[in-house]
Amino acid sequence: MNFEELSLLIEQQLDPSSMVARLFELNGFGGGDRSNDLMVVAGRQRYGSVLSPSLGSRLIAEGMPEEPNTLSLDIGDREAVASGLACGGSVRVMVHPWAWLPDIRPHVGARRPFALVTALDAQSRPIGIQVATIDLPGDGPGTQQAAELLARGRAGVSVLDSEQLTLHIHCFIPSSRLVVIGGGVLAKALQIQGDLLGIEVTQLEQGEKPPLVGRSDGVVVLDHDHDHVTPVLHHILQDTEVSYVGSLGSRGTQEERRRRLLECNCVEHLGRVYGPAGLDIGSRSTAETSVAIIAEMISVLRGRSAASLRAVQGPING
């Protein structure tokens, strides 16, 4: 269940006695679809799924435990293939009451990535859940690790083992948005790049109010009308947690934008503006410029250097 689906579910104000089943561990299945990682059973209603809809049905048919616990299920090849999985395997599922979830509405409302950090005892029974964000990780077990995963843009489930506790870290990160201030052929090229990458692109014309943006989002300024752009840019920098703000234009244009933002008392946020926007890949065409901008945005969102993989150590994927 992704950030947006969970957001809609929270708005429904489910019965606190509803039970939550969350993916804990997979073995086999050809990897499985880890995006199907949360299911809520509220009376006769079921929301989301764990691994596959058929597994969710099986969990309900066999009886969801009334107390917090973890369950292990084996799935044969025939059942797995019928569910759209590559092959059979085993899955562990963690179950706990809906009422155990911390209040995540402020994070949902701000489109702020967050993680649910669940501690389990030696018998793999959930004993408590904390919420962590990048800026407010908390001081409980596993919360710092959760903040690091969020900063790298890692959605989904991770499990950490310590001497006394097992920690289930479940990261929820909004799908990225890109707000383009201005129009023209570059705006269209950015839209094409966004469609390819699953980034929701919104083009903002003069007089329009920007949509809500957060830590997983970006803004690119194409418009050179400083009288129009400055108040919008000031609002975005001052009132939102957006991670990437790209500014198109010459170095002279950047200096003028900087001067006007200084006049608006926006000094503390100037370092958040990436201008001129884009990575130095030698772009010559509009299409190449759009690639350079989107690549810079992704590197900022994922906390990566944008250096050649040949020159860095560690994982090659985000």
Side-chain angles (χ1 to χ4, degrees), residues 87-318:
C87 61
S90 62
V91 59
R92 294 180 70 196
V93 178
M94 177 174 65
V95 179
H96 62 77
W98 172 260
W100 274 31
L101 292 180
D103 185 8
I104 55 178
R105 289 171 297 179
H107 309 305
V108 169
R111 285 181 55 79
R112 181 182 302 124
F114 67 90
L116 299 175
V117 183
T118 306
L120 298 95
D121 64 18
Q123 286 73 45
S124 296
R125 293 175 301 205
I127 55 177
I129 305 175
Q130 296 186 76
V131 64
T133 65
I134 297 172
D135 296 324
L136 296 171
D139 55 6
T143 53
Q144 290 290 340
Q145 293 93 327
E148 292 170 6
L149 290 170
L150 291 171
R152 289 161 50 194
R154 296 297 294 269
V157 171
S158 300
V159 177
L160 302 178
D161 288 312
S162 64
E163 293 182 359
Q164 297 178 328
L165 295 173
T166 297
L167 300 171
H168 179 278
I169 301 176
H170 200 165
C171 295
F172 292 89
I173 298 176
S175 302
S176 292
R177 289 177 176 172
L178 173 61
V179 177
V180 180
I181 302 175
V185 292
L186 181 53
K188 293 179 181 178
L190 289 168
Q191 177 70 65
I192 292 171
Q193 292 291 335
D195 291 343
L196 177 66
L197 297 169
I199 298 172
E200 177 189 329
V201 179
T202 300
Q203 185 178 335
L204 201 67
E205 300 292 351
Q206 289 197 13
E208 292 183 327
K209 183 179 179 180
L212 176 66
V213 288
R215 292 291 293 256
S216 299
D217 304 320
V219 174
V220 175
V221 180
L222 306 183
D223 196 332
H224 283 39
D225 183 343
H226 297 296
D227 291 335
H228 162 238
V229 167
T230 301
V232 177
L233 196 52
H234 177 262
H235 158 68
I236 288 170
L237 291 169
Q238 193 80 26
D239 301 328
T240 77
E241 299 177 6
V242 67
S243 290
Y244 178 73
V245 179
S247 172
L248 189 76
S250 67
R251 301 193 187 279
T253 298
Q254 306 306 322
E255 189 57 38
E256 178 63 16
R257 284 197 180 127
R258 178 184 175 85
R259 184 186 69 79
R260 288 179 176 247
L261 287 171
L262 284 171
E263 291 177 351
C264 297
N265 297 318
C266 202
V267 180
E268 61 189 285
H269 299 290
L270 288 177
R272 293 168 58 193
V273 179
Y274 291 79
L279 298 179
D280 181 12
I281 61 172
S283 304
R284 294 181 178 177
S285 67
T286 299
E288 290 174 347
T289 301
S290 69
V291 170
I293 292 173
I294 291 288
E296 182 176 54
M297 172 180 159
I298 292 173
S299 70
V300 171
L301 296 184
R302 304 284 165 78
R304 300 298 283 260
S305 66
S308 170
L309 289 174
R310 183 175 63 177
V312 298
Q313 301 294 319
I316 64 173
N317 296 315

